């Protein structure tokens, strides 16, 4: 046995979605994974109404320890001090990057504060951002578990899209009806016309789909904690866009923070992989021979008429 990781090969196939797809896990399990994914994104986006972008950006780093904790609890991963240290260095890079964008000591004291919302709403936004980041880590761990224990990458991608779309539409109609109506409104003097809104929304959806597909492929060959660490390198593309598209060169501290993030990933990878590949310990090797002469010849190094059986 291989600590349950062979369940993928023994899982019973099930017909799903009127025979359009075959799944290897109960559909409520896939529904739960999709629900966690949708709520993680929803809570983070909802937090923008109540707290600052700076605070949300910092709290997103909580997806790293979240993925490590849930990997240990659900997948029995074993993390060494080098893994933990690598994660801490990456989070330090995020903190330095955030502080480098602030103008002075007063701004540091005001992280998360906004003048257009009261203190209770601030607290609500902070809690939403923290919960969303924790759910992001859990989502990656659950996705990895479903890929490696059950149906694989293509199956998870289809079912996550299927349930995720249904959950999102239902939640949009129930909780965000007013925002949905505002999307179609056009008062004439707004800088962003309805056509531009739909264009931006369509581009966002396309890139989110590509991001989801890429992350699922990554989880098929690697693990959730490393995924969240690697996503931090997206700051490099942000720096390139800022430099070449907007003509704004980031400060030196920005590149120091990026170097810390890369160093943390290298430190994490320097240790042995937390993915355990256990070897069966109950193998029995039995030699079968047709007669005594064959057994005698086998002692001399010959293998005449015999075979080895592994059980």
């Amino acid at each position: 046995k291989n600590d349950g990781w062979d369940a993928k090969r023994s899982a019973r196939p099930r017909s799903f979605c009127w025979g359009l797809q075959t799944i290897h896990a109960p559909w409520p399990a896939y529904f739960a994974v999709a629900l966690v994914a949708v709520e993680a994104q929803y809570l983070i986006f909802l937090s923008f109404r109540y707290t600052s972008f700076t605070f949300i950006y910092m709290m997103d780093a909580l997806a790293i320890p979240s993925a490590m904790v849930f990997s240990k609890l659900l997948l029995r991963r074993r993390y060494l001090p080098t893994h933990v240290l690598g994660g801490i260095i990456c989070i330090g890079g995020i903190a330095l990057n955030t502080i480098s964008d602030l103008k002075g000591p007063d701004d540091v004291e005001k992280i998360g504060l906004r003048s257009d919302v009261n203190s209770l709403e601030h607290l609500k936004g902070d809690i939403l951002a923290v919960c969303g980041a924790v759910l992001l880590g859990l989502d990656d761990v659950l996705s990895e578990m479903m890929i490696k224990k059950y149906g694989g990458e293509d199956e998870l991608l289809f079912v996550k899209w299927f349930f995720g779309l249904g959950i999102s539409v239902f939640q949009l109609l129930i909780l965000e009806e007013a925002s949905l109506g505002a999307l179609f409104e056009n008062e004439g003097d707004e800088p962003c016309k309805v056509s531009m809104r739909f264009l931006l929304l369509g581009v966002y959806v396309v890139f989110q789909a590509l991001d989801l597909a890429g992350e699922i492929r990554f989880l098929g060959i690697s693990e959730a904690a490393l995924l969240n660490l690697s996503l931090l390198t997206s700051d490099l593309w942000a720096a390139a866009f800022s430099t070449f598209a907007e003509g704004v060169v980031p400060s030196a501290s920005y590149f120091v923070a990026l170097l810390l993030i890369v160093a943390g990933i290298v430190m994490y990878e320097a240790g042995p992989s937390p993915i355990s590949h256990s070897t069966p310990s109950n193998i029995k090797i039995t030699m079968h021979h047709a007669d005594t002469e064959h057994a005698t010849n086998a002692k001399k190094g010959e293998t005449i008429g015999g075979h080895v059986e592994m059980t």
Side-chain angles (χ1 to χ4, degrees):
K1 296 181 179 180
N2 197 17
D3 295 338
W5 288 96
D6 286 335
K8 177 178 175 180
R9 285 179 285 185
S10 60
R12 180 174 61 86
R14 300 168 172 84
S15 178
F16 179 74
C17 195
W18 303 282
L20 295 178
Q21 179 74 23
T22 299
I23 61 176
H24 295 78
W27 70 262
Y30 280 120
F31 179 86
V33 174
L35 180 64
V36 170
V38 170
E39 298 310 318
Q41 297 290 340
Y42 177 71
L43 292 180
I44 290 177
F45 277 102
L46 188 60
S47 66
F48 279 99
R49 293 181 180 175
Y50 309 106
T51 190
S52 67
F53 174 82
T54 303
F55 182 84
I56 296 171
Y57 181 74
M58 289 187 64
M59 290 303 101
D60 276 352
L62 290 177
I64 297 171
S66 172
M68 296 179 73
V69 170
F70 284 117
S71 292
K72 186 173 181 61
L73 293 176
L74 300 178
L75 301 178
R76 300 292 186 261
R77 294 285 158 77
R78 182 171 176 264
Y79 291 101
L80 301 178
T82 53
H83 299 129
V84 178
L85 180 60
I88 293 175
I89 293 175
C90 285
I91 295 175
I94 287 292
L96 177 60
N97 188 22
T98 303
I99 294 174
S100 68
D101 288 337
L102 303 177
K103 297 179 180 179
D106 292 339
D107 290 336
V108 177
E109 296 177 358
K110 294 179 181 178
I111 291 178
L113 298 181
R114 280 172 45 179
S115 59
D116 57 334
V117 293
N118 58 45
S119 57
L120 185 60
E121 290 177 328
H122 277 308
L123 179 60
K124 178 181 179 180
D126 295 346
I127 293 174
L128 290 173
V130 171
C131 292
V134 172
L135 287 181
L136 282 178
L138 176 59
D139 170 42
D140 292 332
V141 173
L142 292 177
S143 295
E144 181 188 353
M145 182 172 66
M146 301 306 290
I147 290 171
K148 295 178 177 178
K149 285 192 174 185
Y150 296 100
E153 302 164 10
D154 293 335
E155 179 175 314
L156 177 66
L157 186 61
F158 174 82
V159 182
K160 207 170 185 180
W161 164 83
F162 181 86
F163 283 125
L165 178 62
I167 295 171
S168 299
V169 171
F170 178 80
Q171 189 162 302
L172 177 65
L173 296 176
I174 298 299
L175 301 178
E176 301 294 337
E177 183 179 358
S179 298
L180 182 62
L183 181 65
F184 294 94
E185 294 177 358
N186 189 1
E187 298 180 359
D189 56 347
E190 297 180 355
C192 186
K193 304 299 182 181
V194 174
S195 58
M196 180 57 67
R197 296 175 197 173
F198 279 100
L199 176 61
L200 294 174
L201 179 61
V203 172
Y204 174 78
V205 170
V206 169
F207 279 99
Q208 278 292 98
L210 293 175
D211 175 68
L212 176 61
E215 289 185 12
I216 288 179
R217 298 299 180 190
F218 185 94
L219 291 173
I221 60 176
S222 187
E223 46 107 12
L226 183 58
L227 170 64
N228 283 276
L229 290 172
S230 301
L231 288 176
L232 298 180
T233 58
S234 61
D235 288 347
L236 178 62
W237 302 105
F241 178 82
S242 175
T243 302
F244 297 106
E246 299 182 346
V248 178
V249 180
S251 63
S253 57
Y254 179 91
F255 292 100
V256 173
L258 183 60
L259 182 61
L260 280 176
I261 292 173
V262 174
I265 296 175
V266 172
M267 174 67 71
Y268 185 93
E269 282 287 87
S273 174
I275 302 178
S276 60
H277 298 283
S278 58
T279 303
S281 58
N282 59 341
I283 296 179
K284 297 180 181 179
I285 301 178
T286 307
M287 299 287 293
H288 295 276
H289 299 281
D291 49 37
T292 306
E293 180 181 355
H294 290 164
T296 303
N297 291 333
K299 292 180 181 179
K300 295 178 182 179
E302 302 175 4
T303 56
I304 304 175
H307 67 278
V308 178
E309 178 181 317
M310 299 181 65
T311 58

